[in-house]
Every structure is written in structure tokens, then in C-alpha cells.
Amino acid sequence: MHKKTNRGKEVKTYHFLPYKYNRHLLFDIGRIETLENYVLDDSLHQLSFYEIIFIEEGTGTLSIGDKTISLSKESIVFTSPGQTRRWAIEKDITGYVLFFEKDFLDLFFFDDLFLYRFQFFHQYVHPPALKPDEYFFNQCLHLIQTITQEFSCLLHDSDHLIRALLYQLLITINRLYSKTYNLQDNGVIHSDFQKFKLLLEKEYTVNHNISSYTKLLNISPKTLNRLCKQYSGLSAQQMIHQKLISEIKKELILKKSAKEITYTFGFSDPSNFNRFFKRNTGITPQQFQKEV
């Protein structure tokens, strides 16, 4: 499935193994309870690829960043690359897991924004999880089982069929996710908003103000704020702050010091960083570290 490397003594990182099936295939699928080397313990870790978990049975929690997701029958959980995770299993988890590299879809559709069109990936406002009804969950399982059947006998064009089925699955899930959290359908989202989301993932450590992004996008602050309000419910500056806080919390979970975070995220000094964090969370970085 994947291999792991250690970044110092901080967090394990698991990488995708593209030649598992003796061909370059940037997608994999399997049963959680039988998949070899699947990480299901309480160690802090992160993935360098996308993962969607379909839980048929079992209970517990999965911490993703600073959010704790309750695991239960017929639930779906999403992980984006670089998010820290930690399992706390109460009753054995069974179900399916699928994972893929960004290029599996991006290169085929010639679209760097492709995966940003799905609301459940790179999500730091709403929970990266769904609790659908039985009918919807079974719809997803039908697509998953069709993909699994294709994996049992890979042909020269199997990757195209798998990609098509994955695309159908992602769209189906995105519709429910958007409806559940009252989000705008990504099918009609303005391209400048999607570009802003992609820029935010790349620039958040160095660009903290809306003016930096409007210059890169060549649009006015008023236009960007209107788009952000329309598609996320937040202003552009609020989205920037939400992203910063989400990533800072990840570093605090890894026990990074205020001085280290100040340098990494481009704050002028630790006191400025501390004020920013408390203003946006209501607690100090030190209090947050004690609570997690």
C-alpha cells in the first residue's frame, strides 16, 4: 500500500507505492481489516496522498488535525495530503479504503485545480466526514465494489475505467457533502475562487493579507471577498486566517515552539504570533498544546 519515513522524531509520513501491481498505477483500494500494512493504530502520522474511508462497522474516533471525527457504522471520512491523524479504535473497524495520488486525476484532466473542486478535500472549516443514510452509503459501496472487481483482473485500460468510476464516486459524495454543510455546488463555482483556494494552500506561510492574493489573481479585494462569501460563507481574510490557524495547530500538535512557528509562518515575533492565535481561537498556543 505505502511505505513510511520519519521526519525526525515528529510524525510518521506514509507514501504511496505506485508499482504495487507491477505497473505505474497511482490508485489503490482494499478492505480496512485485511489490507496489508494499513495504519490503524494510535500513532501520530500523515499521508502524502488522498484517502477516503468507508466504515461499515466499528466505533472510535479519528483525529484529523485539531478535529476529532466520531467513527460509526455507515460513515465516510476524508484525508488530504499532509494532514496529521491519530486513530482511537473502540470496536474493530471494517469497511473499504481507497487512496490515490493527486496526479492520478490531475494529469488526466489537465487541471491543477481538479481536486479543489471537491468540497471535502482541503477542508478546514467543516468536518472532513459524512454520515449518510443507508441508501446513499450502499450507492457508494456499489461503485467501490465495481472498482474492486476491476482490480482483481487488471487490463491495459483498467486505469481509465477506475478513473471514471472514481470520478463518479467523488461527484456523488460531493453533492451530498455540499448539501449537508449548505455549500455552493462546485460545478458552478467561479474559477477565481478555486484559484484562490489553490494559492492559499501554497502561499499561506508567506502571504497573510488579502492584498497579496488579489495581486496574484489580478482581481479586486471586493471581488475576492464577494466570491469567498458566496462559496464559503467566510470573507477572504477569514479564509486566510482559518488556513493559518489550521496549519499552526498542526505544528503545535507536533510540539513545535512559538519561536519555530513564528519563523515558519512569517510572523514578526513570537508575541505577534501569540496575539494572532489567541485572537482567532480564544486561547494561547501554550493552552492549546496542553489540551491536545
Side-chain angles (χ1 to χ4, degrees), residues 155-179:
L155 301 175
H156 72 281
D157 56 356
S158 289
D159 55 337
H160 294 297
L161 181 56
I162 292 166
R163 190 180 288 110
L165 291 165
L166 174 61
Y167 190 19
Q168 182 180 352
L169 180 63
L170 294 177
I171 290 174
T172 301
I173 293 171
N174 195 59
R175 287 177 177 176
L176 180 62
Y177 190 92
S178 300
K179 182 179 179 181

Side-chain angles (χ1 to χ4, degrees), residues 15-80:
H15 301 283
F16 196 90
L17 288 177
Y19 290 98
K20 175 180 175 180
Y21 300 96
N22 297 317
R23 58 188 290 181
H24 191 256
L25 184 60
L26 300 178
F27 178 93
D28 203 356
I29 192 169
R31 296 286 308 182
I32 294 171
E33 62 271 25
T34 60
L35 196 60
E36 187 177 358
N37 298 323
Y38 186 67
V39 182
L40 204 62
D41 59 34
D42 61 358
S43 64
L44 187 65
H45 64 281
Q46 62 184 357
L47 310 179
S48 66
F49 48 88
Y50 292 88
E51 181 178 84
I52 307 180
I53 306 161
F54 298 85
I55 297 171
E56 292 179 315
E57 299 288 346
T59 57
T61 62
L62 176 60
S63 298
I64 302 178
D66 64 313
K67 294 182 174 65
T68 300
I69 309 302
S70 295
L71 307 175
S72 60
K73 181 179 180 180
E74 295 175 350
S75 55
I76 308 172
V77 184
F78 316 98
T79 301
S80 301

Side-chain angles (χ1 to χ4, degrees), residues 5 15 19 21 43 45 74 86 95 122 140 144 162 168 180 196 202 206 253 264 277 289 292:
T5 58
H15 301 283
Y19 290 98
Y21 300 96
S43 64
H45 64 281
E74 295 175 350
R86 190 193 301 271
H122 302 286
C140 293
I144 291 167
I162 292 166
Q168 182 180 352
T180 300
F196 171 61
K202 296 178 177 179
V206 292
I253 289 169
T264 300
F277 189 86
Q289 281 186 321
V292 294

